[in-house]
Amino acid sequence: MEPKVLEVKELVTRFRTLEGVVHAVNGVSFHLEEGETLGIVGESGCGKSVTMLSILGLIRQPPGKIIRGEAIFMKKDLLKLSRQEMRQIRGDQIGMIFQDPMTSLNPLMSIGKQVGEGMNEHLGMSKKQVRDRVVELLDMVGIPNASERVDDYPHQFSGGMRQRAMIAMALSCNPKILIADEPTTALDVTIQAQIVDLVKALCDKLGMAMIWITHDLGIIAGVANRVMVMYAGHVVEQADVKVLYDSPRHPYTLGLLGSLPRVDGQHSRRLTNIEGRPPALFQEVQSCPFSNRCSYVIDRCRRENPQLRAVGSAHQIACWVDVPTDGKTKVVINA
C-alpha cells in the first residue's frame, strides 16, 4: 500500500436553511494514496461536492457549518487551519477543476492572467517566468497556438478549451492532489472523452493523486483505481474499481450499474431504474437511508443505519443484507 496523502475521518457538514437544517454530509471517511485516483460517485445532492468543498474550506459559514471530522493532509488537519493557511494550500498543494468553467473563470481577466494567478500567489515567479510557464501549461493541455491565445478572454474560447484552461490553472503549481468536480458535465460526449484522457494522462505523467467526482459510473471505469459510492450524505460502498464493477454488493450500486447500457457485445437487456426518491435530509437519518427504495429491505434496515463493513479484501458496504451478484440473498444477522 502506498503512503496516504489524504485521510478524511467522520466528516459531518450541515446547512441551516429557512426550511430547516440540511444534513448534507454524514460521517464520511475515506483515504487517498499517493499517485492513485479515487472516484466518488452518486446522484445529484448526495454530498460528493460538499465533502470536497468542506475539506478545502470553501463552505460559506453561515449557512454551512462543519460539525466534526478530520482531514489529514501532510500531517495537518485541514479543518483546523486558518483562512490564510488554507489559502497557502489551495491552488498550490491541492488543485481543483470545477464543473462549469464559464462560471468559474473571470470574464474580465485574460486566460493567461487567470492561469498564472496561482504562480504569482505561491511561487514568487517573475512576470516573464509566469507567462512562459502559462504558455507551457496551455500547450500541455492541448490548446493550439498557446503563445497567441494566452491573452484571449474566456468568451473567445470554446467550452472544451475553457475546461482545458481550468485544468492548466489547477496544475500550475504542481499540486500533490488534483480534485476534479464533474469536469465534463457541461461538455458534449466527444469533448468529454478528450478531457478524461487528458486529465488521466497528466496525472500519470506528473505522479499526482486525484479525486474524480461524478454521477457517471461509465467515466469512473476508465479513470479510477478505487471507487467510493455515496448516497444521502453517506458512504454506502467502497472497493477497487474492478471489484466494484465485477461484484457490486450494495443495492444502490447495483441499481446504478443496472442503469448503464452495455456495449461489450453481450445480449441486450432492459435497463433498470431505481424507484422512489432520495430521503429529505432535514433530519438525521436513523434507519438505512436507502431503505425506502431498496428491493432487498428487511425490518432491521428501517430501524438501524448500518456502518461500513468488510465483504472482501479492500471492499466495504453499509448494508444489513448481503447481496451476492449471483442473485441469492443472505440476511446478515450479526453485522
Side-chain angles (χ1 to χ4, degrees):
M1 181 182 291
E2 296 293 328
K4 295 176 183 176
V5 66
L6 176 67
E7 185 166 17
V8 176
K9 301 176 183 178
E10 291 297 320
L11 178 65
V12 176
T13 302
R14 306 279 189 255
F15 289 91
R16 188 171 296 279
T17 71
L18 294 175
E19 290 81 13
V21 176
V22 177
H23 296 67
V25 178
N26 303 296
V28 168
S29 299
F30 67 91
H31 71 273
L32 180 68
E33 297 174 9
E34 287 187 0
E36 80 160 341
T37 296
L38 172 67
I40 302 181
V41 299
E43 60 198 79
S44 297
C46 73
K48 307 184 300 294
S49 297
V50 173
T51 296
M52 292 303 114
L53 294 174
S54 299
I55 291 168
L56 293 178
L58 294 174
I59 294 292
R60 183 171 293 181
Q61 303 185 50
K65 185 176 182 180
I66 299 171
I67 304 300
R68 65 175 182 273
E70 294 181 343
I72 308 300
F73 171 73
M74 304 290 288
K75 299 182 179 179
K76 297 179 180 178
D77 186 352
L78 298 179
L79 304 184
K80 293 182 179 178
L81 299 183
S82 66
R83 285 189 178 184
Q84 184 59 37
E85 289 172 323
M86 276 305 306
R87 281 177 60 89
Q88 296 304 312
I89 290 176
R90 284 196 307 263
D92 180 15
Q93 298 175 62
I94 302 178
M96 188 159 185
I97 309 169
F98 295 94
Q99 63 179 280
D100 187 353
M102 202 57 201
T103 58
S104 302
L105 292 169
N106 187 334
L108 303 180
M109 287 178 65
S110 70
I111 292 292
K113 283 187 177 180
Q114 295 186 67
V115 174
E117 201 168 20
M119 290 179 274
N120 287 323
E121 173 82 15
H122 301 292
L123 303 182
M125 300 167 68
S126 68
K127 286 186 177 180
K128 185 179 186 308
Q129 288 174 323
V130 170
R131 186 179 179 87
D132 290 346
R133 175 62 174 159
V134 169
V135 171
E136 179 186 347
L137 285 165
L138 294 179
D139 184 64
M140 184 190 299
V141 298
I143 293 179
N145 305 315
S147 60
E148 300 172 16
R149 303 302 304 272
V150 68
D151 294 317
D152 285 354
Y153 287 82
H155 72 272
Q156 295 174 281
F157 276 35
S158 67
M161 288 175 65
R162 286 194 292 267
Q163 195 57 284
R164 289 172 186 267
M166 288 288 296
I167 295 168
M169 190 185 308
L171 298 177
S172 62
C173 296
N174 296 316
K176 293 184 177 294
I177 299 175
L178 179 64
I179 299 173
D181 187 4
E182 304 209 43
T184 61
T185 297
L187 306 175
D188 65 54
V189 175
T190 302
I191 304 300
Q192 280 186 19
Q194 293 175 9
I195 295 298
V196 170
D197 290 343
L198 172 64
V199 175
K200 188 173 186 300
L202 289 172
C203 282
D204 291 343
K205 178 181 178 181
L206 301 174
M208 289 182 298
M210 179 168 65
I211 297 173
W212 189 291
I213 303 169
T214 184
H215 60 274
D216 189 342
L217 274 165
I219 289 177
I220 287 295
V223 173
N225 304 110
R226 288 189 300 115
V227 186
M228 181 172 87
V229 182
M230 290 188 66
Y231 182 79
H234 297 79
V235 178
V236 296
E237 185 160 12
Q238 295 187 84
D240 290 341
V241 65
K242 189 176 187 305
V243 172
L244 188 93
Y245 282 80
D246 288 347
S247 305
R249 300 289 286 276
H250 194 281
Y252 179 59
T253 310
L254 287 167
L256 291 179
L257 290 171
S259 67
L260 291 177
R262 298 294 293 263
V263 291
D264 57 5
Q266 293 189 13
H267 293 297
S268 61
R269 58 171 175 78
R270 182 182 293 276
L271 300 182
T272 61
N273 66 306
I274 302 174
E275 300 290 342
R277 301 177 63 180
L281 297 178
F282 290 114
Q283 49 187 296
E284 192 165 357
V285 177
Q286 302 298 325
S287 60
C288 171
F290 192 62
S291 59
N292 65 329
R293 306 174 74 185
C294 182
S295 57
Y296 297 97
V297 64
I298 59 175
D299 287 342
R300 191 174 188 180
C301 303
R302 298 188 174 97
R303 296 195 310 266
E304 300 176 58
N305 189 2
Q307 301 299 305
L308 284 170
R309 61 182 177 85
V311 291
S313 176
H315 190 179
Q316 297 176 305
I317 62 170
C319 186
W320 294 124
V321 180
D322 201 355
V323 188
T325 52
D326 62 5
K328 299 176 183 178
T329 64
K330 175 186 175 184
V331 177
V332 178
I333 302 299
N334 297 310

